[in-house]
Amino acid sequence: MAIGDLLYRAAGPAAKVMDRLSMARKLILVASAFVACIALLLVMIIPRLSADIAFVRNEMAGARLIEPYVHVAGATVRRGVARQHLAAGDSEAQAAFEASTAQIESELAEIANWVATDSSALDIVAEWAAIKDGWAVLRADPSTEAEAIFVAHASFGARLAALMSTVTVTSSLALDPALDTYGLMDATTTRLPAMLTSAGNARAHSRHPIERGSVEVEDVVDSQAELRLGAMSLGQAESIMAAAFTANPALRELLGAELQGLRASYDAFGSVVGAGIVYGSAPTLDIAGLDRELDKALDALAKLGSNGSRQLLH
């Protein structure tokens, strides 16, 4: 028996039903079938669309934290440096200390607004509470020794980093599928802040021989280890940003100069440390020169963070 005959017989009952229907009812039946298919597709698509919308909404919320985070992290380093100078009797550092303190409070107020409006789905209650408590402790910290001042500010910086790390995950920033925006996110929230931490650690280790009056092996080892960790983080940021520039050439024009400036400042910072901390010699570290290069690096990092986060929001 031919296949055609089999199909005809199988469809025979349906054909007889259709033959008994009027043209209007046939059209209604066909239209109903189309509507049912469309309804089924919508039922399948709408949850996926809702999930995609929630993904983008959370990602945008996370991106809005990057700029104030980078700024408050840099201001924390500047405040620690200024506080150390004040403790050493340098009254000229008072203006820098007050300016950095005011900037921290301003950026924390910005983050508080972000917490109130954008963070409900990001699970950062504990991290934000730790930052508020940490700032209260840091403001009241009576330390007068350079090491204690550094530790207090580094501890607060670690709380800021913990907040950004959590937001990177819970906001889906870490899952961004686009190479250019992923590169911006990774560089500004992870790699460059890690470089900043290492630079601060290197500066702290470099002060020890000045206070002691002699350079020990651990001074050289510790300062150089932190410099290399910072250079590694910066190198990783440069690599991921190079890929982002390839994916989106417009980013190179926008951020390329800041990234080059950050590299130049960091290299100069490392050169000052290397020249001033030499084992077997009296410490000759140019603290003022070191802080100038650190300040330049902080400026470049702030520009990268600001411009990068704005690109993520576009």
Side-chain angles (χ1 to χ4, degrees), residues 10-314:
K16 291 178 180 179
V17 172
M18 293 296 289
D19 287 342
R20 289 197 297 266
L21 295 177
S22 66
M23 181 58 67
R25 289 183 177 181
K26 289 178 181 179
L27 292 175
I28 291 173
L29 182 60
V30 171
S32 298
F34 276 110
V35 170
C37 291
I38 293 172
L40 179 61
L41 288 174
L42 288 176
V43 168
M44 297 172 62
I45 290 173
I46 287 176
R48 178 60 185 175
L49 290 176
S50 298
D52 289 344
I53 291 170
F55 181 94
V56 173
R57 184 185 296 117
N58 286 341
E59 189 176 18
M60 297 290 280
R64 281 189 281 272
L65 177 63
I66 294 175
E67 185 170 3
Y69 162 67
V70 171
H71 288 172
V72 74
T76 300
V77 173
R78 284 192 169 106
R79 186 181 189 276
V81 169
R83 178 78 185 280
Q84 287 179 333
H85 284 299
L86 285 174
D90 181 4
S91 60
E92 293 184 359
Q94 184 65 38
F97 176 76
E98 292 176 355
S100 57
T101 299
Q103 184 179 11
I104 291 173
E105 293 187 330
S106 174
E107 299 299 341
L108 288 179
E110 186 73 19
I111 294 175
N113 290 333
W114 172 85
V115 170
T117 58
D118 288 330
S119 71
S120 58
L122 303 184
D123 193 23
I124 49 85
V125 174
E127 288 81 359
W128 176 234
I131 287 174
K132 291 190 291 184
D133 292 344
W135 176 235
V137 170
L138 185 60
R139 286 218 61 173
D141 181 50
S143 300
T144 57
E145 296 182 358
E147 177 69 12
I149 293 170
F150 166 75
V151 169
H153 285 78
S155 176
F156 180 65
R159 297 186 185 210
L160 293 169
L163 172 66
M164 191 70 251
S165 178
T166 298
V167 169
T168 298
V169 175
T170 58
S171 71
S172 304
L173 277 171
L175 301 176
D176 193 321
L179 182 57
D180 54 346
T181 50
Y182 176 83
L184 281 173
M185 178 282 303
D186 186 62
T188 54
T189 67
T190 304
R191 309 301 175 184
L192 295 179
M195 179 217 72
L196 176 61
T197 298
S198 295
N201 291 342
R203 184 187 182 281
H205 289 307
S206 299
R207 286 190 62 89
H208 295 165
I210 295 177
E211 295 164 0
R212 192 189 309 116
S214 62
V215 179
E216 304 295 338
V217 172
E218 60 267 22
D219 299 324
V220 179
V221 172
D222 291 343
S223 60
Q224 289 300 316
E226 290 294 346
L227 284 175
R228 288 173 183 172
L229 284 173
M232 182 174 68
S233 296
L234 178 54
Q236 291 169 340
E238 289 172 329
S239 295
I240 192 66
M241 287 298 290
F245 291 160
T246 300
N248 185 354
L251 289 179
R252 186 185 301 277
E253 182 177 349
L254 181 67
L255 302 175
E258 281 84 357
L259 191 59
Q260 291 176 354
L262 183 57
R263 165 57 73 181
S265 297
Y266 189 83
D267 288 345
F269 176 86
S271 296
V272 174
V273 173
I277 305 298
V278 179
Y279 177 63
S281 304
T284 58
L285 183 66
D286 177 11
I287 287 290
L290 188 69
D291 290 345
R292 278 195 300 272
E293 297 305 330
L294 180 60
D295 201 59
K296 291 178 184 177
L298 290 173
D299 283 340
L301 179 57
K303 291 177 182 177
L304 274 169
S306 296
N307 293 335
S309 65
R310 289 167 190 167
Q311 285 301 301
L312 286 171
L313 293 169
H314 287 165

